[in-house]
Amino acid sequence: MTNDFPEGFRFLPSYFDKSAQEALVEEIRAAVRAAPLFRPFMPRTGKPFSVRMSNCGPLGWVSDIKGYRYQPRHPETGEAWPEMPAVLSRLWADVAPDAPPPEACLINYYEEKARMGLHQDRDEDTFDAPVVSVSLGDTAVFRLGGTARKAPTRSFRLSSGDVLVLGGASRLAYHGVDRLIPGSSTLLAGGGRINLTLRRVTAPEAEA
Ligand code: MD3
Ligand code: FE
C-alpha cells in the first residue's frame, strides 16, 4: 500500500500550540537577525534555490557552486551560527530520546512561490539519528516517497505547529515541498512558511 508511512516515520500534528509557535517564531527572528537568510545555489549548475536559509546550532548546512556541506560559520558574515534555542533541544529530547544531541538546525524560509524538489538528506556523516522537522506559518503540500527515487510518492499537508520525525527507514526517504497554500496561516506577518530541521551531523564519540 502506497498509503502507508515508511518505518520510523512519525507525524505529530499540532505538536506546538499557537502560543508556542509564536514564541518559536520570535526565537527564529532573533537567530536570523544574527545570521541573515542567504540564498543557496545548486552545486555544478549554480541555479539558485527558491528557498532562503539560515542555521543555528554548532553546524549549519550550506550549498554553493562547490557543493553541499555543513560548516561552523555563516557563508556571508563568517560568524559562528547562533545557539540552538532551548525549546528545540527540548523537542529533540522528547521525540528522539535515544539520539545524541542535535548539531544543526536548518532554517528554511519559503515565500509564496518557493518550493523544494524531491531529494534525500544525505550530507550528514551519520544517518543513525532521526531528522526532526517543525513547520511554521503557511501550510505546505509535502511529498514523501521511498528510499528509491522511482518509488511511489504520496502527498499530504504540513500545517503550522506540526512536527515530523524521520527515523529508521524513513531517514533516507525522498521528499520535497510541491507548493505552499498562501493565506493558510496568520502566524507570519506577510505570509510564507518557515521549516526547521534538526539534525545530528557527526557520529557521536565512542564511549570512553
Ligand atoms: C523526510 N525540508 O531541509 S521538512 C530539508 O519543508 C527539507 O523545508 C523540507 O527537506 C521543508 O532538507 C521538508 C520534512 C522532512 C525533512 C527531512 C526528511 C522530511 C524528511 C528526511 C527524510 C525524509
Ligand atoms: Fe530534505
Side-chain angles (χ1 to χ4, degrees):
M1 257 299 266
T2 57
N3 258 3
D4 288 340
F5 287 123
E7 181 273 319
F9 176 94
R10 283 170 71 201
F11 178 37
L12 306 172
S14 303
Y15 181 96
F16 290 108
D17 67 16
K18 185 72 192 272
S19 71
Q21 292 170 39
E22 287 167 352
L24 197 41
V25 168
E26 281 316 304
E27 298 264 21
I28 299 308
R29 284 196 197 291
V32 165
R33 276 196 295 273
L37 292 167
F38 60 91
R39 189 174 303 280
F41 293 87
M42 291 296 288
R44 285 192 349 272
T45 64
K47 188 176 184 279
F49 281 56
S50 58
V51 175
R52 284 184 297 154
M53 299 182 176
S54 189
N55 292 271
C56 48
L59 290 173
W61 188 86
V62 303
S63 179
D64 60 23
I65 195 92
K66 292 179 290 187
Y68 308 125
R69 63 194 174 275
Y70 284 90
Q71 61 183 45
R73 290 177 182 278
H74 191 286
E76 292 169 0
T77 68
E79 302 267 4
W81 302 107
E83 264 187 55
M84 181 84 68
V87 59
L88 296 177
S89 301
R90 285 197 297 272
L91 166 66
W92 181 271
D94 182 27
V95 301
D98 300 329
E103 295 171 299
C105 173
L106 176 62
I107 301 166
N108 290 153
Y109 176 63
Y110 293 76
E111 292 176 70
E112 186 171 323
K113 298 289 180 194
R115 53 183 295 283
M116 192 177 287
L118 205 67
H119 67 278
Q120 286 177 301
D121 289 11
R122 42 184 328 147
D123 300 323
E124 301 74 28
D125 296 339
T126 172
F127 306 132
D128 292 345
V131 174
V132 176
S133 126
V134 182
S135 291
L136 295 167
D138 283 339
T139 299
V141 180
F142 175 72
R143 186 163 294 280
L144 180 70
T147 52
R149 182 174 277 281
K150 54 187 173 178
T153 64
R154 52 171 291 169
S155 132
F156 57 96
R157 290 173 179 208
L158 290 178
S159 301
S160 197
D162 293 354
V163 166
L164 286 184
V165 184
L166 300 311
S170 75
R171 174 68 180 74
L172 290 172
Y174 278 86
H175 59 279
V177 174
D178 290 348
R179 62 188 171 86
L180 298 196
I181 302 178
S184 48
S185 166
T186 56
L187 186 71
L188 304 178
R193 171 174 185 262
I194 295 169
N195 180 265
L196 308 175
T197 46
L198 302 172
R199 294 188 179 81
R200 182 74 197 186
V201 178
T202 66
E205 301 293 332
E207 206 87 359

